[in-house]
Amino acid sequence: MGADNPYRPPEAELRDAPAASAGPPPHAVRVACVLVLASLAFGVLTLSPSVRAPEAEQPGMFAFVIGAYLVFGGLTLWFTRRTWQGRNWGRWALLAYLAAGWVLNSFTLADDMANAPMAALVNMGCVALEAVACALLFFGPGARWFAAVRGVSRA
């Protein structure tokens, strides 16, 4: 099976190439990633019994909430790291992931305001941080850097 074999499959590199050749992330991307991580850390406050009283009727619910926070926090860290590394798919996945969280939070906002107003305020603050982060990633220097990264990856 030599190089002249017409049935040989085409060769293509299938790995996610690093964005190092496009330069380090600009300040806007670094700030956006820090804001997402700050939102994640700030969201831990909602797990405190002084902010949101644990459900007394369902003793296993608090453990479930902690487990879910660890899983989704891990996803947040992974998407944020990929975004920091210049992975355009990571930036889009982070946007979709955060937007899904905003939608889910909107369903419980009224109940949170009535039952745990401090938790509702913390959640609204987290949404604000994440919205600013997404704006930094998709507009201005952040968007230009991701466009440059895509241009370098195709070369």
Side-chain angles (χ1 to χ4, degrees), residues 108-131:
T108 62
L109 184 60
D111 288 339
D112 284 346
M113 285 301 272
N115 301 328
M118 191 62 170
L121 291 174
V122 168
N123 283 337
M124 290 189 304
C126 290
V127 167
L129 290 174
E130 294 164 355

Side-chain angles (χ1 to χ4, degrees), residues 39-138:
S39 170
L40 178 65
F42 194 46
V44 172
L45 292 176
T46 63
L47 301 177
S48 170
S50 62
V51 174
R52 181 191 313 263
E55 301 295 330
E57 308 88 42
Q58 302 173 5
M61 185 56 109
F62 189 69
F64 173 77
V65 169
I66 295 291
Y69 200 83
L70 290 173
V71 168
F72 290 111
L75 275 173
T76 303
L77 291 173
W78 189 63
F79 287 141
T80 304
R81 179 181 161 113
R82 296 300 179 236
T83 301
W84 181 283
Q85 293 172 338
R87 308 304 197 263
N88 192 47
W89 65 264
R91 173 178 72 141
W92 283 99
L94 183 63
L95 174 66
Y97 173 74
L98 293 176
W102 301 337
V103 170
L104 292 175
N105 276 335
S106 71
F107 293 134
T108 62
L109 184 60
D111 288 339
D112 284 346
M113 285 301 272
N115 301 328
M118 191 62 170
L121 291 174
V122 168
N123 283 337
M124 290 189 304
C126 290
V127 167
L129 290 174
E130 294 164 355
V132 170
C134 288
L136 289 171
L137 291 174
F138 284 90

